[in-house]
Amino acid sequence: MLMLHQPLPDIPGAVCNALFLQAYYYRGKLVSEANVLFLQLGDGGWHRIFIDGGIVFWQRVDGLDSPDQDRHHYTLTDLGALHRYARRRVVRVEAAVLPEGGELRLTFEGAPPLVYRNVGGASQLSI
């Protein structure tokens, strides 16, 4: 089952300025390779997107999470540059229920779809 913490934002047509994938480490060990997505749109605002416990959280935030916090550590992968999402328009945002979880599919104009999936408590990204 997949639930939305709040309705997905109406962003089709908005231009992607940046897109980052955050990995999460605890005491030096990888906990989640796809912990959070950070999406920055043309208005300069950031969107923090993650799935936890079968709930999609999509929130506006001031910026990216701090990279280091004592025993917690985060790394960022620039998906916008790596897969050419930057400067592309968002075409569609869809949520789908999967057995034991769910996924978000973001479709960009002229780029491969990005699928952010959480099944059994583990998040993955596929492009």
Side-chain angles (χ1 to χ4, degrees):
M1 184 168 150
L2 184 69
M3 297 174 53
L4 301 175
H5 181 254
Q6 57 194 28
L8 295 177
D10 184 21
I11 62 169
V15 174
C16 172
N17 282 349
L19 180 63
F20 288 92
L21 174 66
Q22 178 193 75
Y24 168 58
Y25 295 80
Y26 182 72
R27 293 187 174 187
K29 294 189 179 194
L30 180 64
V31 175
S32 176
E33 64 184 38
N35 191 49
V36 175
L37 287 174
F38 286 99
L39 172 66
Q40 185 185 48
L41 299 175
D43 63 2
W46 285 96
H47 297 255
R48 187 176 194 270
I49 307 160
F50 65 99
I51 303 172
D52 186 28
I55 301 172
V56 174
F57 293 90
W58 188 308
Q59 306 157 325
R60 295 274 309 211
V61 294
D62 294 331
L64 305 175
D65 290 345
S66 171
D68 292 303
Q69 300 172 352
D70 192 20
R71 294 172 296 224
H72 306 275
H73 177 75
Y74 302 96
T75 61
L76 294 170
T77 301
D78 187 346
L79 299 176
L82 189 62
H83 296 286
R84 298 183 169 184
Y85 292 118
R87 295 179 296 283
R88 308 256 184 194
R89 290 195 183 281
V90 176
V91 175
R92 188 170 33 259
V93 177
E94 302 167 291
V97 176
L98 301 172
E100 298 184 47
E103 70 181 23
L104 281 175
R105 178 179 294 266
L106 283 78
T107 306
F108 295 85
E109 188 175 81
L114 178 142
V115 179
Y116 181 60
R117 180 177 295 126
N118 184 284
V119 176
S123 294
Q124 302 173 325
L125 186 76
S126 63
I127 296 174

